[in-house]
Amino acid sequence: DQQVKQNSPSLSVQEGRISILNCDYTNSMFDYFLWYKKYPAEGPTFLISISSIKDKNEDGRFTVFLNKSAKHLSLHIVPSQPGDSAVYFCAASPPDSGYALNFGKGTSLLVTP
Amino acid sequence: EPEVTQTPSHQVTQMGQEVILRCVPISNHLYFYWYRQILGQKVEFLVSFYNNEISEKSEIFDDQFSVERPDGSNFTLKIRSTKLEDSAMYFCASSAGGVHEQFFGPGTRLTVL
């Protein structure tokens, strides 16, 4: 039951350009969304989050956009840096769930010099 | 910076054996979680734990699984009789009170032979 979908398994971007990672969800009860970054042999690292009452949240080079009507969110990284190369996971949580996170399968981002 | 730690980093066991995976959450956090990631698949929620009891669990978390906070610092996941399909990366996470942002440990790779 894939409630959070990341349809692009991989993305390649040149250093300095914008990286846009996309995520779709099916459960309209989700009210909180998060992005995590993961390097090989490490656990997911929290990047940025957004509540369903907002449509945008920004933190430095990272911005998350939420389109509730389309059940779609995206993560923008600008400017992209080689150190951003990692797997990015979208996650969502419904209310009253003990904060259980539903993860997408991830998008592998490669930022080339 | 405080971090979640997990031991061991890799556990190899025979089918039918019991295993205990250990985690030390961030010290002032109140919510604790276990997730797993089977190779090539998404990160899946297993269980959340708050105030010394399970607050939510997934269908995966059946009677073979149990969690415990035996003292003020450790959080453990026990699998009573391991199966081949339990082979996965197991991640522990913790969060401060009432927030969705969870901080993950580096994971324990469990291999069941």
Side-chain angles (χ1 to χ4, degrees):
Chain A
D1 180 20
Q2 194 70 10
Q3 297 188 67
V4 178
K5 300 178 186 178
Q6 293 177 259
N7 293 319
S8 298
S10 63
L11 175 68
S12 183
V13 172
Q14 268 193 320
E15 182 178 6
R17 305 294 288 265
I18 184 170
S19 295
I20 300 176
L21 297 108
N22 293 303
C23 177
D24 297 293
Y25 61 96
T26 57
N27 187 344
S28 57
M29 296 298 292
F30 287 147
D31 67 348
Y32 208 84
F33 305 89
L34 307 91
W35 284 94
Y36 282 83
K37 177 169 81 170
K38 187 179 181 303
Y39 294 116
E42 294 185 12
T45 301
F46 170 72
L47 268 180
I48 192 169
S49 61
I50 188 167
S51 163
S52 60
I53 62 172
K54 295 186 174 183
D55 53 20
K56 178 183 172 181
N57 189 27
E58 193 171 349
D59 184 2
R61 296 186 297 115
F62 302 92
T63 303
V64 56
F65 295 91
L66 175 63
N67 182 334
K68 287 187 290 294
S69 60
K71 294 193 182 71
H72 177 83
L73 64 155
S74 60
L75 174 68
H76 292 210
I77 307 172
V78 56
S80 301
Q81 299 171 353
D84 295 330
S85 298
V87 178
Y88 287 78
F89 292 96
C90 172
S93 177
D96 303 323
S97 66
Y99 303 108
L101 296 180
N102 291 264
F103 280 86
K105 287 189 174 181
T107 296
S108 179
L109 173 66
L110 177 64
V111 180
T112 56
Chain B
E1 186 173 320
E3 57 182 18
V4 177
T5 59
Q6 290 186 244
T7 53
S9 57
H10 192 188
Q11 173 90 47
V12 181
T13 189
Q14 295 289 326
M15 190 169 57
Q17 295 296 303
E18 174 183 287
V19 294
I20 297 176
L21 309 183
R22 291 183 165 79
C23 168
V24 178
I26 293 172
S27 63
N28 62 343
H29 283 185
L30 301 176
Y31 292 79
F32 314 113
Y33 314 83
W34 284 101
Y35 292 81
R36 79 173 185 191
Q37 185 179 27
I38 295 171
L39 190 62
Q41 298 186 23
K42 64 173 186 170
V43 176
E44 300 174 289
F45 169 77
L46 293 178
V47 66
S48 59
F49 191 86
Y50 169 71
N51 200 25
N52 280 319
E53 60 182 26
I54 290 173
S55 50
E56 187 76 21
K57 61 183 180 178
S58 71
E59 293 174 353
I60 303 167
F61 194 88
D62 61 22
D63 292 343
Q64 293 299 312
F65 292 86
S66 62
V67 289
E68 192 179 30
R69 187 152 165 84
D71 53 43
S73 60
N74 289 282
F75 180 53
T76 62
L77 174 69
K78 182 194 291 187
I79 310 175
R80 287 190 185 81
S81 177
T82 50
K83 308 188 215 33
L84 295 176
E85 53 265 37
D86 293 328
S87 293
M89 196 75 166
Y90 287 79
F91 295 105
C92 173
S94 69
S95 65
V99 294
H100 293 76
E101 289 81 0
Q102 298 172 21
F103 295 85
F104 284 74
T108 292
R109 179 169 299 285
L110 176 65
T111 302
V112 182
L113 302 175

